Amino acid sequence: MSDALQATEALINRGPRPPGLPTPDERRRLREVWGATLEEFASALDKDVPDMEAWEAGQAATDPTDDIAYARLLQRISEHLPVTYEPDWAALRRTVHDTPSGKPDVLCDGCAQAIGACERCGLPTTSRPGGRWLHRGTTCTPSGPLTPGQSDSLICPPLQLPPRRMDFPAGPVAVIDYRDGALLAHLSKDRTSDCPQTLAELLVWTHTEGLGAVRLHSRGHHQYPLLVLTGAATPVVGLPLTLNDPIGRLLPASHPALHALNTAGWQPVGRGMGPWSRLQARTAPRGRVTVHLAVQPWGALADAGWELDALTPEHLTRLLARYADTVIVPQGSTATCGSRLMTALRPPKQWTGDVATSKRILAPPVRGALTEAHAPAPPEAPPAHPVARGWDPVDVQCEEPFDWFRDPTAQELDDFDYVVGLDTNFAFTNAAGRVRVGYGPVSPTPENLPDFDASIPGCWYADLSHIATDPRLPSPFTPTGAPPTGPAWYATPTLAYAQRQLRATIKPIKAYLRCGTSGPYLEDWNARLRQAYSTALHRLGIDPAATGDAFFHARDQALVLGDPLDWDLLRLIKATANGGIGKLAEGPTDLERDPYEPWPALRRVNWRPDIRAAIIAAARTELHRKMHLMAATTGRYPLAVLTDCVVYPATRPTPFDLLPPGDPASENTLRSFTFGARFGHVKLEGTASMAWAARATQAGLNPASWIKDPTVAFDDSTEEGPSPCDANLTAPPEPDTSWRLF
């Protein structure tokens, strides 16, 4: 066979060449037209979301086979989409013949199949879904509504919006209310403005008026604006006052309001439109145009940590603007804001400008940011996680806060008539700023490790049962306060405390470690919340550096003269901090999920149960250190501990019986606890009688859980007071709970 014939046969036998990747703009267009998110593409191609976004933006994959799989996915999508070019109508009309019905049919030159003619304009067409003729990329005026679930995103032109104003003159938030027959927008700095009367026009108005806020990191993106609809404004823009989906809490996909938004060029991102939604515009290639929408009558601000439904639109705007200026623009529950604040301060990816092409391209990751979602070690994983399959539920890491109490001794009953509760301000947030986080994946290590290294984040299997602790103090190694009875899994801060503070010898048996790069990932997050908290205190007239009686005097003045909105702001900052830490180990919310099936939260780069465990371990051991020092300097031991609240015996019903209001440098420091407003300082949680505490422990109740806001009142005048477990318990007067906001 000649060389030419051999080359020909080889070319034929090779088969078709795998499809190549289209341009980045076409990649994004195909995905958005198909209605898929980056998360769905990443899951289908077994990629992380940041890698998928970089891939879509034009960066090549490390493995050529990945490019082939990506190209085939895009090719299959393009094959299933309607043709988007203007057809050759003359070619389609070349062959026309009469049908038995007397109406002409048009035959396609390519397949010789009959194509119907539109009754409204006479052009050839292939289908008429929901009363809308599709002319191979063009659309005739519909003669009827779309069928439920039918999307017309393919036939709506993109929005043409002006460039976004980066000075954000209108502020970050707009609360839309209905007054005097028209919608009125309440803006920051107590301003009001006329605004459009439809939801789609309102979304465009937020862009043209310059709503939003500056980026929290130089390599991140600017914050999207928030639009809040009050109960009066919601029906005016075509939305119902209630949702008929109590579980999913979503507006039905067939609702006319969604159809109107889609027709106008807007679509919800993610699951759909609920109490909190993210609406994105289909725009010409200029970048994303996104607006956060909160619908107040759907419960957006009634729960989820906000509890702001009682505020007027003016006060609501003022409070949300203060929160946006000091923390982050609201974009969901307070827990969601706490989680997204982490990634906003340390973006998982950064964009930069290419001087040659004037386009934005992905640059190397931001220093100190989590850039990939990593699976946890089996001991760190919650029971529903895929890696927990086959793992003994007993053999898991249990790093949780304290829940411990003991009966008072006979001497304590004779010497003390009262108990006083001390609560630590932002105990877990304070600990989070010091915790070192591993940026790489976890890997198992061989058994019988030679040494424990406190600088390596991870999960260690070690036996701490040989370490003796005072029975009047909770054990720092377990949440119940009971001493460990054998080997168990511990986070690095727990073993570090045993080694450094208790001078114990640690011999790990095995471990799952993150031996690569590590750093204080939450340091900036802690600093942002600390500054927001300090700003709110200054507005109330409280010096964050004040301690002892000066702090209590300033607090009492603020209760009378301070702005109630600033007290609400303190509460929201605390809810954001605690909720953000909880989001690090967010569990599944789908009740119909199969066992060990991944849930959406696992795709977040900051879904890290190991970080949450390390934070709790650091806060728990730090509290134990303070209690140990308190016992060594004053001889007083706690009766109960719950999370970050400690109950001590006292001779008087005042916290100054424990910590006299003197010179902080000479007295409070020696007693380990300091009264003040700063992170890590303590405040009064409540007081009660010693008899009350003794009866609570006898009934199996933790006094620390009741002393802050008692719902059980014991009758001390009778020999046998009512049991805390009885149903007919008397409630005390409404307590002053403002101090709990610190």
Side-chain angles (χ1 to χ4, degrees), residues 553-622:
H553 177 73
R555 186 211 65 181
D556 293 340
Q557 289 290 105
L559 289 174
V560 178
L561 304 176
D563 187 347
L565 294 181
D566 288 319
W567 289 108
D568 280 331
L569 181 59
L570 286 177
R571 175 179 58 82
L572 295 180
I573 294 171
K574 186 172 184 178
T576 302
N578 293 338
I581 294 174
K583 278 279 190 177
L584 292 169
E586 181 183 6
T589 57
D590 185 3
L591 300 179
E592 299 180 355
R593 189 185 64 90
D594 294 333
Y596 306 110
E597 180 184 352
W599 58 94
L602 304 187
R603 295 194 291 265
R604 295 202 313 260
V605 296
N606 62 345
W607 188 88
R608 293 286 297 272
D610 60 296
I611 301 179
R612 176 185 177 273
I615 292 172
I616 293 176
R620 191 185 66 239
T621 53
E622 173 64 12

Side-chain angles (χ1 to χ4, degrees), residues 50-65:
D51 291 340
M52 188 68 243
E53 187 162 4
W55 207 1
E56 184 178 87
Q59 293 187 3
T62 56
D63 189 350
T65 58

Side-chain angles (χ1 to χ4, degrees), residues 84-329:
T84 57
Y85 56 82
E86 184 71 16
D88 185 353
W89 299 116
L92 289 174
R93 285 197 177 98
R94 287 175 188 166
T95 309
V96 180
H97 62 89
D98 292 333
T99 62
S101 62
K103 295 183 179 180
D105 280 347
V106 180
L107 299 182
C108 175
D109 287 347
C111 60
Q113 294 181 355
I115 302 176
C118 177
E119 298 174 355
R120 301 177 64 87
C121 64
L123 294 178
T125 182
T126 56
S127 61
R128 188 184 183 185
R132 187 184 293 270
W133 287 108
L134 300 182
H135 303 283
R136 291 186 174 273
T138 65
T139 308
C140 183
T141 303
S143 58
L146 291 176
T147 57
Q150 176 72 27
S151 173
D152 58 350
S153 61
L154 303 181
I155 54 180
C156 292
L159 284 175
Q160 300 293 332
L161 297 176
R164 189 181 184 188
R165 294 189 60 177
M166 297 306 179
D167 54 346
F168 305 111
V173 179
V175 176
I176 309 300
D177 194 23
Y178 183 73
R179 291 185 184 178
D180 300 328
L183 295 179
L184 180 68
H186 295 269
L187 306 175
S188 59
K189 300 180 181 178
D190 298 329
R191 296 171 296 169
T192 59
S193 172
D194 296 331
C195 60
Q197 306 298 301
T198 67
L199 183 55
E201 292 174 341
L202 274 172
L203 298 175
V204 175
W205 173 81
T206 61
H207 180 82
T208 56
E209 290 295 311
L211 267 78
V214 296
R215 56 172 65 93
L216 297 180
H217 189 280
S218 60
R219 293 298 185 181
H221 58 73
H222 291 296
Q223 299 181 72
Y224 302 133
L226 171 64
L227 204 62
V228 180
L229 297 177
T230 65
T234 299
V236 177
V237 298
L239 297 176
L241 285 174
T242 58
L243 292 174
N244 296 325
D245 182 8
I247 298 177
R249 301 182 70 186
L250 292 175
L251 193 67
S254 59
H255 196 276
L258 282 177
H259 169 59
L261 283 177
N262 207 358
T263 303
W266 295 86
Q267 58 189 7
V269 178
R271 296 173 57 239
M273 182 179 286
W276 286 90
S277 307
R278 191 153 53 104
L279 300 173
Q280 198 169 88
R282 292 189 298 273
T283 60
R286 180 180 277 124
R288 283 182 192 166
V289 176
T290 304
V291 178
H292 291 289
L293 178 69
V295 184
Q296 203 170 0
W298 295 356
L301 297 172
D303 49 18
W306 295 105
E307 302 174 10
L308 301 177
D309 253 14
L311 296 181
T312 64
E314 295 84 358
H315 289 165
L316 179 61
T317 307
R318 196 177 303 162
L319 177 57
L320 292 179
R322 291 177 189 176
Y323 181 88
D325 291 338
T326 57
V327 184
I328 193 173
V329 176

